[in-house]
Amino acid sequence: MMAAAMAEQEGSKGSARNRGGVQRVEGKLRASVEKGDYYEAHQMYRTLFFRYMSQNKHAEARELMYSGALLFFSHGQQNSAADLSMLVLESLEKSEAKVTDELLENLAKLFSLMHQNSPERVAFVSRALKWSTGGSGKLGHPKLHQLLAITLWKEQNYYESRYHFLHSSDGEGCANMLVEYSSTRGYRSEVDMFVAQAVLQFLCLKNKTSASVVFTTYTEKHPSIEKGPPFVQPLLNFIWFLLLAVEGGKLTVFTVLCEQYQPSLKRDPMYNEYLDRIGQIFFGVPPKQSSSYGGLLGELDKLLVLGWVYLLRQATVRPLFQSHKNHGRICTTDATCQPSLKGVLQNFAINCLFWLGIGYRGPNTPRLP
């Protein structure tokens, strides 16, 4: 026991010495940055990173790159800061560091400091989400999605914020964002459509808890929705009944509900697609039978969708409603709301991406998913 205690003490001393050495190096590098020697400081950071990594000092390398990135961001050196941010991710990918709230918050902090339209930001968030799930094919850690969603919400990038909220467990935050999104960018006649799509997509992702929370919070807080249920808007009544039906699990109730509310469901052609999936998940409805050519045609459909997305991105299409609030709107009661062809096509493409499981990567993604 004495030997073990001495070994542990020596290990603690070694760790303290290492940390002290990192702090001394940080002090020298900080002095270089303060003097404006950005290039030299950047190269020294990179040299030290690879030195630490070759010695398996992953934690030291990560801490040094993180503090260096924050320092460069504070001096407006976006390229150097983004490069060190990517090295932070590299240290995580090559180490066996467990996913913790602190690490996720650090990654979200770096993301928030990057220029909104920089290609590095897109690459950074993609790698960060992949690391957060152990490199698996999953969509990313819910906590990281939540932090990214909040950052994008603050930037008023509602569309991308909404995507990340969908893959988090923060139904309340999603609802509050949608209230602001609808109030500032939407039409009064469409207040129900903002939350309806969110609820249906949450259910498609098998997250009925968040679906219920987002609906309740949104309908309680939106200034244009009268207290219910029942609601003035038929679509909101449908969603309310649907959430009750999901809890009950009775196919007959689900079938009758969808039939009775078809006029409201026709306002968006994707609603019935979502409901087909919801029927399979919660009510045991078998998938629709396809013809013998279904497999080939399915792949051709995917190629067609990806082709549309490529053309839309080449046309520098911004996220739905972002550049002009009339883009892609589907109105049934407001005669002044005329959807643009580009907006409708974008709405179609984004919904298809959701179904293909590709996700939305942002308007400046340099390559197809």
Side-chain angles (χ1 to χ4, degrees), residues 189-200 215 218-219 225 229-243 257-258 260-268 270-272 274-275 330 332:
S189 61
E190 295 179 331
V191 294
D192 51 350
M193 300 181 74
F194 279 82
V195 71
Q197 187 180 42
V199 170
L200 294 174
F215 179 74
Y218 183 90
T219 53
I225 295 178
F231 300 95
V232 174
Q233 297 89 344
L235 185 59
L236 293 182
N237 289 326
F238 169 78
I239 295 297
W240 175 50
F241 284 127
L242 176 64
L243 291 170
L257 187 61
C258 292
Q260 293 299 314
Y261 280 91
Q262 273 303 306
S264 295
L265 297 177
K266 289 180 180 179
R267 293 173 66 190
D268 188 328
M270 288 304 301
Y271 288 165
N272 284 313
Y274 295 142
L275 290 168
I330 303 175
T332 59

Side-chain angles (χ1 to χ4, degrees), residues 47-221:
T47 299
L48 290 171
F49 172 80
F50 292 110
R51 182 181 300 172
Y52 280 138
M53 292 296 288
S54 67
Q55 298 170 357
N56 291 324
K57 297 180 178 179
H58 300 129
E60 290 86 346
R62 182 177 67 250
E63 292 172 10
L64 185 61
M65 294 305 103
Y66 179 71
S67 63
L70 295 181
L71 182 61
F72 278 118
F73 277 128
S74 68
H75 285 76
Q77 299 299 303
Q78 280 282 326
N79 291 337
S80 295
D83 181 59
L84 297 192
S85 297
M86 299 301 286
L87 293 180
V88 170
L89 279 175
E90 185 173 332
S91 70
L92 290 172
E93 292 165 347
K94 292 184 178 180
S95 70
E96 297 181 356
K98 294 183 179 180
V99 177
T100 65
D101 285 351
E102 181 182 3
L103 288 176
L104 295 178
E105 288 167 2
N106 288 346
L107 294 178
K109 175 70 172 179
L110 296 175
F111 173 81
S112 70
L113 294 172
M114 293 181 184
H115 280 322
Q116 298 178 20
N117 295 321
S118 67
E120 292 82 6
R121 196 185 210 200
V122 175
F124 178 84
V125 73
S126 177
R127 285 178 62 180
L129 288 169
K130 184 177 181 180
W131 170 80
S132 71
T133 51
S136 68
K138 297 180 181 178
L139 295 172
H141 196 286
K143 176 68 174 180
L144 183 55
H145 274 296
Q146 179 193 29
L147 295 170
L148 297 173
I150 292 172
T151 294
L152 293 162
W153 178 11
K154 291 177 180 177
E155 297 171 358
Q156 296 185 331
N157 188 342
Y158 300 112
Y159 197 87
E160 291 189 53
S161 173
R162 181 182 173 283
Y163 169 79
H164 288 289
F165 269 125
L166 280 172
H167 296 288
S168 75
S169 300
D170 187 6
E172 183 176 0
C174 182
N176 289 325
M177 182 276 295
L178 288 173
V179 169
E180 182 179 311
Y181 187 11
S182 170
S183 300
T184 59
R185 304 287 178 88
Y187 288 90
R188 185 183 178 90
S189 61
E190 295 179 331
V191 294
D192 51 350
M193 300 181 74
F194 279 82
V195 71
Q197 187 180 42
V199 170
L200 294 174
Q201 290 189 342
F202 268 125
L203 291 176
C204 287
L205 294 169
K206 304 179 182 180
N207 189 348
K208 62 181 182 181
T209 300
S210 293
S212 180
V213 171
V214 74
F215 179 74
T216 301
T217 305
Y218 183 90
T219 53
E220 286 178 352
K221 293 189 175 182

Side-chain angles (χ1 to χ4, degrees), residues 256-308:
V256 172
L257 187 61
C258 292
E259 290 174 352
Q260 293 299 314
Y261 280 91
Q262 273 303 306
S264 295
L265 297 177
K266 289 180 180 179
R267 293 173 66 190
D268 188 328
M270 288 304 301
Y271 288 165
N272 284 313
E273 297 290 335
Y274 295 142
L275 290 168
D276 286 342
R277 178 61 178 157
I278 292 168
Q280 295 170 29
I281 295 171
F282 296 104
F283 301 97
V285 178
K288 290 182 177 180
Q289 296 294 322
S290 59
S291 66
S292 58
Y293 299 101
L296 175 60
L297 292 177
E299 293 303 315
L300 291 176
D301 287 343
K302 289 183 180 180
L303 292 175
L304 176 62
V305 171
L306 292 176
W308 273 114

